[in-house]
Amino acid sequence: MEEALRSKVNFGKDTLAIHKNLDPLLDFANEKKSAKLKWAYYMLMADAFSIAFDNVNDRTDRYFQLALNTIADGKEEGLEMLTNIRWGYYYFTYRNVARAFPYFLRANEFQERVLSATIPLVPLHYGYMANFYSYIGDHKKAIIYLKLGIPYTEEMSRKRIDMFNAIGVYLRRDFQMSESEDYFKHALKVAENAKDSVWIGIISGNLADFERTRGNLDKCLELIQRNIEYSEKFHEPLDAMRANIALADIYIQRGQWKNAKEALYKAEGYVEDKPYFLQYKKEIAKAFADIAHGEGNNPKELIHLQQYLALNDSLTKQSNHDMMQKIYWQWESERYNQAVATAEMKKAQTQQKYQLVGILLLLVFVIILLLINRSRNKERIRSALLEKEQLRLAFEKSQVDQELMVLRDSLQEFTNTIKQNDATIQQLRMEVKHGDDLDPAYQDKINDSLSDMLETHIMTDERWMKFRKVFDRVYPGFLIGQKAIYPKLSENDLRLLALMKLDLSNRSMGDLLGVSIEAIKKAKQRLKKKQEAIESHV
């Protein structure tokens, strides 16, 4: 199976070559009457036609469906799992994430039932699962699949190094820094034993961040320069770009402006005009602004700051969209898991019903034979029915608790985002405030950029209504209770109370409501007076 799945599938757009090279496998599968090899043939055909069309297409979908039909008897759960993984990764590759989502979720259902040792090419397929779950922000799930796949990699293979390094990256994203560094060091040890210079360079760059955090700039510089050397030597442009930006930051920190500019010019040479590079363009613009400031070149500093602000605006809009999309996908994942659990519960309940029917029939037979035990048997029946009802109520409560948990996490995510945006806005204001002798035209442009950034998260009436629905679910009865106690509270008062409940600062509330800090303070004073007026009459 593994040998078959390793067959060449890239024949460009030559569909005749696809059939010529892969159809013999179908003939061999039919000759041996092997459903597994036939399944492998359909997998290869699906991959080959996805490459030929270089996009999502009906031919590939049809081959995936044929693969599923081939193992429809339910005896090959491992292959059914792989079909869903590969079908989902096909959509994921062409960034059709919405269509990829259900396939990965269905594949995940099999994980606990299928032995990893029975799955062909375990590291490859579990790597697909890890990539997907990392993309939607579920790093814990991604790490689970990587750890399951590592034992099936060769001791000094690039795949093994890649998986250890990926675990380190995911742990770092979840702020588990000590565990992250341990995995990076283990990955580096494997790479050094394998004499894999490319991975030695990449992992050195990852470890440099930890040395910089500890203040070991010399060690950090050594690791970054090693990363750049290997990345340039073995043509790894993305890693070389990131390493040169990190190198420039070290030189800026040391006031070595010339060296910093040289590193940034190298980094710019790797930048492409694609959304992926937006973050790196922003970092480069900010670094150039810092260099100009250090050299006392105010006009250049202003130009780079303007570029930085424009890029930051674009990145903020993109990040906000990506963040909300990931929250939605995680919510969809939870909802899907709940649906699966519900289906399993219903299945169990159905089995219990059949068992109950059998028990009842047995009880009837026993009652006929042993009338003396009639009262005891009736009590047992009533007890079983009561237990069933209690299970149903407990399940319904669990569903409500799960839904409330998702809403509470969404509200916390909203609060954290507002605080983070507030910090970013204040940082930009301080940078502009400390600029020397700014040209009025540039000042206006920077102020416009800041205004645009503020407008992106002003709470409009429509956003307030959506926000209140979530707030009322997480804090049931809070706003209604306040309105009942203080009938004269306006809708604006209720907004203020809700934001105060989330422990937001006056500035954050002002930015959200589109008013000044002084207006927030006055609004709080008016609110307090309304409350005191009611309390004085009680």
Side-chain angles (χ1 to χ4, degrees), residues 194-275:
K195 298 180 180 180
D196 192 322
S197 299
V198 174
W199 272 111
I200 291 173
I202 292 172
I203 300 167
S204 296
N206 288 332
L207 287 170
D209 293 337
F210 297 95
E211 298 298 337
R212 184 175 182 179
T213 301
R214 286 191 281 263
N216 299 333
L217 295 186
D218 290 336
K219 182 63 175 178
C220 176
L221 197 63
E222 176 189 337
L223 291 169
I224 293 174
Q225 287 172 335
R226 181 203 275 186
N227 187 8
I228 293 172
E229 177 188 352
Y230 288 142
S231 297
E232 291 178 346
K233 181 177 179 180
F234 295 101
H235 308 292
E236 293 289 336
L238 291 179
D239 204 54
M241 175 191 67
R242 290 190 289 262
N244 273 292
I245 294 173
L247 181 64
D249 286 340
I250 298 295
Y251 285 137
I252 290 171
Q253 193 170 343
R254 290 183 164 184
Q256 297 174 284
W257 313 121
K258 181 180 178 182
N259 291 338
K261 282 191 282 189
E262 289 178 357
L264 290 176
Y265 290 142
K266 284 185 178 181
E268 280 188 321
Y270 297 112
V271 173
E272 299 179 23
D273 190 20
K274 295 179 180 179

XYZ file of all heavy atoms in Angstrom, residues 194-275:
665
model
N 21.972 14.085 11.641
C 21.675 13.774 10.239
C 22.488 14.635 9.280
O 22.420 14.436 8.062
C 20.182 13.981 9.976
N 23.244 15.621 9.847
C 24.042 16.557 9.040
C 23.172 17.275 8.004
O 23.569 17.482 6.860
C 25.197 15.829 8.356
C 26.173 15.203 9.345
C 27.311 14.476 8.649
C 28.261 13.852 9.675
N 29.382 13.134 9.019
N 21.975 17.658 8.443
C 21.036 18.363 7.576
C 21.215 19.868 7.788
O 20.656 20.472 8.707
C 19.587 17.951 7.906
C 18.592 18.424 6.868
O 18.751 19.544 6.359
O 17.647 17.664 6.555
N 22.009 20.494 6.939
C 22.385 21.890 7.132
C 21.188 22.837 7.039
O 21.132 23.847 7.746
C 23.428 22.298 6.087
O 24.581 21.509 6.219
N 20.245 22.539 6.163
C 19.079 23.413 6.015
C 18.311 23.500 7.333
O 17.991 24.588 7.826
C 18.149 22.900 4.894
C 16.869 23.740 4.852
C 18.856 22.977 3.556
N 18.033 22.345 7.921
C 17.273 22.343 9.161
C 18.104 22.874 10.328
O 17.565 23.500 11.253
C 16.754 20.941 9.476
C 15.424 20.683 8.844
C 15.135 19.841 7.822
C 14.190 21.318 9.201
N 13.809 19.898 7.504
C 13.192 20.799 8.337
C 13.828 22.272 10.145
C 11.866 21.189 8.407
C 12.495 22.679 10.214
C 11.531 22.138 9.353
N 19.401 22.670 10.297
C 20.257 23.255 11.340
C 20.106 24.770 11.334
O 19.980 25.414 12.384
C 21.731 22.851 11.128
C 21.912 21.351 11.413
C 22.651 23.675 12.015
C 23.298 20.823 11.067
N 20.098 25.368 10.141
C 19.934 26.810 10.025
C 18.580 27.281 10.508
O 18.470 28.253 11.268
N 17.519 26.587 10.086
C 16.163 26.993 10.455
C 15.962 26.928 11.971
O 15.449 27.861 12.595
C 15.129 26.104 9.737
C 15.155 26.369 8.223
C 13.725 26.352 10.293
C 14.315 25.403 7.405
N 16.377 25.816 12.570
C 16.163 25.635 14.012
C 17.051 26.593 14.810
O 16.647 27.085 15.867
C 16.423 24.171 14.407
C 15.461 23.236 13.645
C 16.233 23.976 15.903
C 15.832 21.775 13.718
N 18.241 26.888 14.293
C 19.092 27.877 14.963
C 18.378 29.217 15.053
O 18.445 29.914 16.074
C 20.417 28.030 14.211
O 21.156 26.830 14.239
N 17.691 29.589 13.963
C 16.925 30.835 13.976
C 15.813 30.813 15.016
O 15.556 31.816 15.689
N 15.164 29.661 15.167
C 14.105 29.547 16.185
C 14.672 29.669 17.594
O 14.068 30.295 18.469
C 13.366 28.216 16.025
C 12.488 28.186 14.793
O 12.009 29.221 14.343
N 12.281 27.012 14.228
N 15.826 29.048 17.829
C 16.438 29.109 19.160
C 16.984 30.495 19.479
O 17.118 30.864 20.651
C 17.558 28.072 19.256
C 17.096 26.611 19.363
C 18.283 25.667 19.207
C 16.410 26.366 20.706
N 17.295 31.267 18.440
C 17.834 32.614 18.664
C 16.849 33.484 19.444
O 17.253 34.326 20.257
C 18.172 33.271 17.325
N 15.554 33.289 19.219
C 14.544 34.085 19.928
C 14.650 33.907 21.441
O 14.470 34.859 22.208
C 13.138 33.693 19.454
C 12.902 34.082 18.007
O 13.601 34.992 17.523
O 12.015 33.482 17.363
N 14.930 32.679 21.883
C 15.026 32.419 23.316
C 16.262 33.091 23.915
O 16.206 33.631 25.019
C 15.067 30.908 23.579
C 13.830 30.190 23.148
C 13.742 29.584 21.900
C 12.718 30.133 23.977
C 12.596 28.916 21.504
C 11.572 29.474 23.589
C 11.498 28.874 22.346
N 17.386 33.056 23.173
C 18.602 33.708 23.665
C 18.405 35.220 23.749
O 18.888 35.869 24.668
C 19.791 33.376 22.749
C 20.146 31.902 22.681
C 20.561 31.344 24.034
O 20.982 32.128 24.906
O 20.453 30.110 24.223
N 17.676 35.766 22.790
C 17.419 37.204 22.813
C 16.544 37.580 24.007
O 16.771 38.601 24.660
C 16.740 37.631 21.508
C 16.520 39.129 21.414
C 15.973 39.515 20.072
N 15.815 40.949 19.962
C 15.364 41.570 18.880
N 15.030 40.871 17.800
N 15.242 42.887 18.851
N 15.555 36.748 24.306
C 14.681 37.003 25.448
C 15.476 37.003 26.744
O 15.204 37.788 27.659
C 13.574 35.929 25.521
O 12.817 35.961 24.298
C 12.642 36.186 26.687
N 16.477 36.134 26.818
C 17.311 36.067 28.023
C 18.386 37.148 28.057
O 19.136 37.257 29.022
C 17.955 34.681 28.119
C 16.985 33.581 28.526
C 17.717 32.292 28.875
N 18.101 31.563 27.687
C 17.413 30.550 27.156
N 16.284 30.158 27.712
N 17.837 29.931 26.073
N 18.490 37.930 26.961
C 19.486 38.999 26.920
C 20.844 38.559 26.426
O 21.800 39.344 26.450
N 20.968 37.323 25.920
C 22.246 36.814 25.399
C 22.380 37.204 23.924
O 22.222 36.373 23.019
C 22.327 35.291 25.560
C 22.237 34.873 27.009
O 22.596 35.622 27.892
N 21.753 33.658 27.248
N 22.652 38.475 23.679
C 22.652 38.978 22.295
C 23.765 38.365 21.457
O 23.596 38.136 20.257
C 22.757 40.504 22.291
C 21.577 41.268 22.905
C 21.755 42.758 22.709
C 20.258 40.806 22.296
N 24.932 38.121 22.053
C 26.031 37.530 21.285
C 25.653 36.133 20.796
O 25.882 35.776 19.635
C 27.300 37.463 22.136
C 27.885 38.847 22.390
O 27.616 39.752 21.580
O 28.597 39.015 23.399
N 25.082 35.315 21.693
C 24.657 33.969 21.311
C 23.528 34.040 20.288
O 23.491 33.267 19.325
C 24.190 33.207 22.559
C 23.761 31.770 22.292
C 24.893 30.916 21.774
C 24.460 29.468 21.626
N 25.529 28.617 21.077
N 22.614 34.993 20.506
C 21.503 35.181 19.565
C 22.037 35.536 18.176
O 21.597 34.982 17.164
C 20.579 36.284 20.082
S 19.236 36.704 18.958
N 23.009 36.456 18.129
C 23.600 36.879 16.854
C 24.278 35.705 16.160
O 24.148 35.530 14.934
C 24.603 37.999 17.128
C 25.040 38.844 15.936
C 23.865 39.583 15.341
C 26.119 39.828 16.357
N 24.974 34.886 16.922
C 25.651 33.722 16.353
C 24.648 32.755 15.710
O 24.867 32.261 14.592
C 26.424 33.007 17.463
C 27.092 31.722 17.021
C 27.669 30.945 18.200
O 27.947 31.571 19.246
O 27.808 29.716 18.089
N 23.536 32.493 16.385
C 22.526 31.575 15.858
C 21.848 32.138 14.613
O 21.588 31.408 13.647
C 21.483 31.291 16.942
C 21.970 30.449 18.131
C 20.933 30.468 19.248
C 22.248 29.016 17.691
N 21.548 33.442 14.624
C 20.903 34.057 13.461
C 21.826 34.021 12.254
O 21.400 33.712 11.124
C 20.481 35.500 13.778
C 19.358 35.512 14.822
C 20.018 36.215 12.515
C 18.988 36.898 15.306
N 23.108 34.338 12.464
C 24.053 34.335 11.340
C 24.234 32.929 10.776
O 24.378 32.742 9.567
C 25.391 34.912 11.802
C 25.327 36.433 12.010
C 26.578 36.991 12.652
O 27.307 36.283 13.350
N 26.840 38.275 12.435
N 24.185 31.927 11.636
C 24.243 30.539 11.151
C 22.998 30.218 10.318
O 23.091 29.596 9.266
C 24.328 29.575 12.326
C 24.410 28.116 11.874
C 23.932 27.154 12.952
N 24.978 26.819 13.892
C 24.837 25.907 14.860
N 23.691 25.275 15.009
N 25.817 25.631 15.696
N 21.856 30.701 10.780
C 20.608 30.499 10.037
C 20.697 31.124 8.653
O 20.337 30.513 7.639
C 19.448 31.121 10.828
C 18.096 30.819 10.211
O 17.988 30.031 9.279
N 17.065 31.437 10.731
N 21.189 32.364 8.593
C 21.302 33.062 7.301
C 22.271 32.332 6.375
O 21.993 32.146 5.182
C 21.753 34.519 7.527
C 20.652 35.308 8.245
C 22.110 35.190 6.207
C 21.074 36.688 8.676
N 23.406 31.913 6.936
C 24.415 31.224 6.119
C 23.830 29.983 5.437
O 23.956 29.803 4.217
C 25.598 30.825 7.004
C 26.664 30.032 6.260
C 27.728 29.475 7.195
O 27.723 29.832 8.391
O 28.562 28.666 6.731
N 23.156 29.126 6.221
C 22.612 27.891 5.654
C 21.404 28.166 4.753
O 21.218 27.498 3.733
C 22.225 26.932 6.775
C 23.417 26.313 7.478
C 23.404 26.110 8.860
C 24.548 25.933 6.777
C 24.490 25.541 9.516
C 25.634 25.369 7.423
C 25.613 25.174 8.788
O 26.685 24.611 9.418
N 20.588 29.134 5.122
C 19.400 29.436 4.318
C 19.786 29.954 2.942
O 19.182 29.587 1.933
C 18.523 30.469 5.040
O 18.052 29.959 6.262
N 20.796 30.822 2.894
C 21.242 31.357 1.598
C 21.973 30.294 0.794
O 21.805 30.193 -0.431
C 22.142 32.567 1.832
C 21.379 33.788 2.380
C 22.294 34.969 2.644
O 23.531 34.761 2.660
O 21.778 36.092 2.832
N 22.756 29.482 1.489
C 23.523 28.452 0.797
C 22.620 27.412 0.158
O 22.886 26.935 -0.959
C 24.488 27.789 1.782
C 25.374 26.712 1.151
C 26.349 26.153 2.176
C 27.233 25.063 1.559
N 28.198 24.505 2.560
N 21.547 27.051 0.847
C 20.680 25.983 0.347
C 19.344 26.515 -0.180
O 18.356 25.797 -0.241
C 20.454 24.950 1.449
C 21.713 24.235 1.843
C 22.400 24.610 2.993
C 22.237 23.222 1.059
C 23.571 23.967 3.368
C 23.400 22.566 1.430
C 24.087 22.941 2.575
N 19.333 27.809 -0.513
C 18.197 28.419 -1.230
C 16.874 28.259 -0.472
O 15.914 27.680 -0.971
C 18.072 27.829 -2.640
C 19.353 27.870 -3.422
N 19.927 29.046 -3.863
C 20.197 26.866 -3.806
C 21.067 28.779 -4.497
N 21.262 27.467 -4.479
N 16.851 28.775 0.748
C 15.626 28.828 1.557
C 15.263 30.305 1.761
O 15.564 30.905 2.796
C 15.837 28.129 2.909
C 16.046 26.639 2.818
C 14.778 25.903 2.439
O 13.682 26.440 2.689
O 14.879 24.786 1.878
N 14.639 30.935 0.743
C 14.448 32.399 0.769
C 13.589 32.898 1.928
O 13.895 33.940 2.506
C 13.776 32.689 -0.577
C 13.165 31.390 -1.008
C 14.075 30.329 -0.474
N 12.514 32.181 2.270
C 11.637 32.662 3.341
C 12.375 32.700 4.672
O 12.261 33.672 5.439
C 10.395 31.773 3.452
C 9.402 31.862 2.299
C 8.242 30.913 2.527
C 8.883 33.279 2.149
N 13.136 31.654 4.947
C 13.861 31.616 6.210
C 14.977 32.648 6.221
O 15.248 33.271 7.249
C 14.420 30.210 6.432
C 14.666 29.926 7.906
O 13.723 30.085 8.701
O 15.800 29.570 8.242
N 15.619 32.855 5.059
C 16.670 33.870 4.974
C 16.094 35.262 5.221
O 16.710 36.096 5.889
C 17.333 33.812 3.601
N 14.902 35.508 4.689
C 14.242 36.812 4.895
C 13.970 37.050 6.374
O 14.318 38.093 6.934
C 12.933 36.863 4.115
C 12.108 38.127 4.354
S 10.446 37.998 3.659
C 9.755 36.715 4.710
N 13.326 36.074 7.029
C 12.998 36.227 8.448
C 14.270 36.401 9.293
O 14.303 37.217 10.218
C 12.207 35.016 8.934
C 10.796 34.937 8.381
C 9.996 33.862 9.084
N 10.448 32.527 8.719
C 9.869 31.767 7.797
N 8.798 32.205 7.159
N 10.329 30.555 7.528
N 15.319 35.649 8.968
C 16.552 35.721 9.739
C 17.223 37.086 9.579
O 17.750 37.646 10.544
C 17.500 34.608 9.304
N 17.200 37.652 8.376
C 17.803 38.969 8.157
C 17.045 40.072 8.901
O 17.646 41.027 9.387
C 17.860 39.283 6.660
C 19.120 38.732 6.006
O 20.223 39.190 6.274
N 18.947 37.727 5.154
N 15.720 39.950 8.990
C 14.944 40.924 9.770
C 15.329 40.832 11.242
O 15.518 41.851 11.919
C 13.432 40.685 9.584
C 13.008 40.982 8.136
C 12.624 41.572 10.530
C 11.575 40.610 7.821
N 15.454 39.598 11.750
C 15.859 39.407 13.144
C 17.272 39.951 13.373
O 17.555 40.565 14.413
C 15.793 37.919 13.504
N 18.165 39.749 12.386
C 19.532 40.254 12.492
C 19.537 41.775 12.560
O 20.258 42.384 13.363
C 20.352 39.767 11.298
C 21.821 40.186 11.262
C 22.573 39.583 12.444
C 22.473 39.748 9.948
N 18.715 42.418 11.720
C 18.625 43.877 11.722
C 18.168 44.393 13.085
O 18.661 45.419 13.576
C 17.665 44.342 10.625
N 17.213 43.698 13.704
C 16.734 44.122 15.023
C 17.867 44.116 16.053
O 17.938 45.013 16.914
C 15.611 43.196 15.491
C 14.315 43.453 14.739
O 14.185 44.545 14.162
O 13.434 42.563 14.741
N 18.729 43.108 15.995
C 19.860 43.047 16.932
C 20.799 44.232 16.695
O 21.239 44.902 17.645
C 20.630 41.725 16.778
C 19.721 40.532 17.112
C 21.868 41.718 17.666
C 19.265 40.470 18.543
N 21.121 44.496 15.412
C 22.017 45.615 15.101
C 21.406 46.949 15.531
O 22.100 47.848 16.000
C 22.326 45.639 13.612
C 23.308 44.562 13.180
C 23.105 43.826 12.009
C 24.460 44.288 13.927
C 24.000 42.850 11.607
C 25.357 43.316 13.534
C 25.125 42.596 12.374
O 26.020 41.633 11.983
N 20.086 47.099 15.364
C 19.411 48.329 15.799
C 19.526 48.474 17.302
O 19.788 49.567 17.826
C 17.927 48.311 15.359
C 17.827 48.456 13.837
C 17.138 49.426 16.044
C 16.436 48.230 13.289
N 19.327 47.379 18.007
C 19.431 47.403 19.462
C 20.832 47.833 19.913
O 20.986 48.476 20.949
C 19.091 46.017 20.017
C 18.852 45.979 21.517
C 18.292 44.646 21.965
O 17.795 43.864 21.161
N 18.358 44.386 23.259
N 21.835 47.501 19.098
C 23.216 47.862 19.425
C 23.641 49.196 18.816
O 24.777 49.626 18.994
C 24.157 46.759 18.939
C 24.028 45.471 19.737
C 25.030 44.445 19.272
N 25.188 43.364 20.242
C 26.060 42.369 20.115
N 26.866 42.313 19.056
N 26.147 41.433 21.042
N 22.744 49.815 18.014
C 23.081 51.095 17.396
C 24.007 50.973 16.206
O 24.625 51.962 15.786
N 24.091 49.789 15.607
C 24.939 49.581 14.426
C 24.071 49.770 13.174
O 23.600 48.818 12.564
C 25.555 48.171 14.476
C 26.485 47.970 15.670
C 26.977 46.547 15.799
O 26.241 45.667 16.242
N 28.226 46.312 15.406
N 23.861 51.035 12.826
C 22.869 51.378 11.792
C 23.245 50.837 10.415
O 22.370 50.361 9.683
C 22.697 52.896 11.734
C 22.539 53.541 13.062
C 23.314 54.506 13.617
C 21.527 53.252 14.047
N 22.869 54.848 14.867
C 21.777 54.093 15.157
C 20.462 52.372 14.102
C 20.979 54.070 16.300
C 19.672 52.345 15.231
C 19.918 53.182 16.318
N 24.523 50.923 10.047
C 24.948 50.460 8.720
C 24.689 48.964 8.553
O 24.135 48.513 7.542
C 26.424 50.772 8.517
C 26.943 50.351 7.140
C 28.419 50.692 6.987
C 28.950 50.224 5.630
N 30.404 50.513 5.482
N 25.102 48.192 9.556
C 24.884 46.737 9.487
C 23.393 46.399 9.454
O 22.960 45.473 8.768
C 25.527 46.053 10.694
C 27.039 46.117 10.650
O 27.621 46.295 9.592
N 27.686 45.975 11.810
N 22.607 47.178 10.204
C 21.162 46.941 10.233
C 20.553 47.176 8.858
O 19.707 46.396 8.390
C 20.506 47.845 11.273
N 20.985 48.266 8.195
C 20.427 48.563 6.861
C 20.812 47.480 5.850
O 19.992 47.087 5.019
C 20.921 49.941 6.393
C 20.173 51.093 7.059
C 20.473 52.435 6.420
C 21.806 52.955 6.874
N 22.026 54.359 6.431
N 22.032 46.999 5.930
C 22.450 45.936 5.000
C 21.589 44.685 5.179
O 21.180 44.056 4.198
C 23.924 45.602 5.247
C 24.885 46.695 4.796
C 26.341 46.353 5.111
O 26.567 45.289 5.728
O 27.229 47.139 4.735
N 21.293 44.345 6.418
C 20.455 43.165 6.674
C 19.045 43.380 6.140
O 18.427 42.473 5.558
C 20.408 42.873 8.175
N 18.511 44.594 6.303
C 17.158 44.883 5.823
C 17.086 44.880 4.297
O 16.092 44.432 3.720
C 16.675 46.224 6.373
C 16.370 46.262 7.876
C 16.003 47.671 8.299
C 15.255 45.298 8.236
N 18.142 45.392 3.648
C 18.151 45.373 2.177
C 18.128 43.926 1.667
O 17.451 43.607 0.680
C 19.400 46.087 1.645
C 19.379 47.585 1.857
C 20.539 48.276 2.197
C 18.192 48.308 1.722
C 20.537 49.649 2.405
C 18.177 49.692 1.920
C 19.344 50.345 2.266
O 19.323 51.696 2.466
N 18.866 43.039 2.365
C 18.835 41.625 1.977
C 17.435 41.045 2.178
O 16.928 40.301 1.336
C 19.840 40.826 2.806
C 21.288 41.023 2.385
C 22.191 40.096 3.188
C 23.642 40.227 2.762
N 24.519 39.303 3.540
N 16.819 41.393 3.313
C 15.473 40.888 3.591
C 14.485 41.360 2.538
O 13.627 40.598 2.071
C 15.019 41.340 4.980
N 14.602 42.624 2.121
C 13.693 43.173 1.093
C 13.818 42.413 -0.221
O 12.847 42.299 -0.969
C 13.993 44.653 0.860
C 13.400 45.575 1.908
C 13.551 47.030 1.540
O 14.613 47.406 0.999
O 12.609 47.804 1.789
N 14.997 41.895 -0.480
C 15.202 41.162 -1.737
C 14.406 39.875 -1.811
O 14.169 39.353 -2.905
N 13.951 39.364 -0.660
C 13.170 38.130 -0.641
C 11.666 38.379 -0.562
O 10.880 37.454 -0.674
C 13.577 37.269 0.563
C 15.018 36.814 0.530
C 15.945 37.290 1.450
C 15.460 35.903 -0.431
C 17.269 36.879 1.430
C 16.779 35.477 -0.463
C 17.681 35.977 0.467
O 18.981 35.550 0.439
N 11.268 39.627 -0.355
C 9.847 39.943 -0.173
C 9.112 39.875 -1.511
O 9.612 40.342 -2.526
C 9.678 41.342 0.456
C 8.202 41.747 0.483
C 10.236 41.349 1.866
N 7.927 39.272 -1.489
C 7.077 39.212 -2.679
C 5.786 39.976 -2.427
O 5.405 40.229 -1.278
C 6.756 37.753 -3.015
C 7.989 36.920 -3.335
C 7.619 35.468 -3.637
O 6.456 35.221 -4.032
O 8.478 34.589 -3.476
N 5.116 40.342 -3.514
C 3.883 41.133 -3.395
C 2.693 40.200 -3.187
O 1.832 40.044 -4.047
C 3.689 41.989 -4.657
C 2.560 43.002 -4.481
O 2.210 43.290 -3.312
O 2.031 43.491 -5.501
N 2.675 39.558 -2.004
C 1.601 38.632 -1.653
C 1.151 38.930 -0.227
O 1.930 39.440 0.586
C 2.087 37.176 -1.752
C 2.442 36.757 -3.175
C 2.936 35.315 -3.202
C 3.291 34.881 -4.620
N 3.799 33.491 -4.661
N -0.116 38.612 0.097
C -0.620 38.907 1.450
C 0.228 38.299 2.557
O 0.347 38.877 3.631
C -2.031 38.298 1.433
C -2.438 38.293 0.004
C -1.169 38.062 -0.776
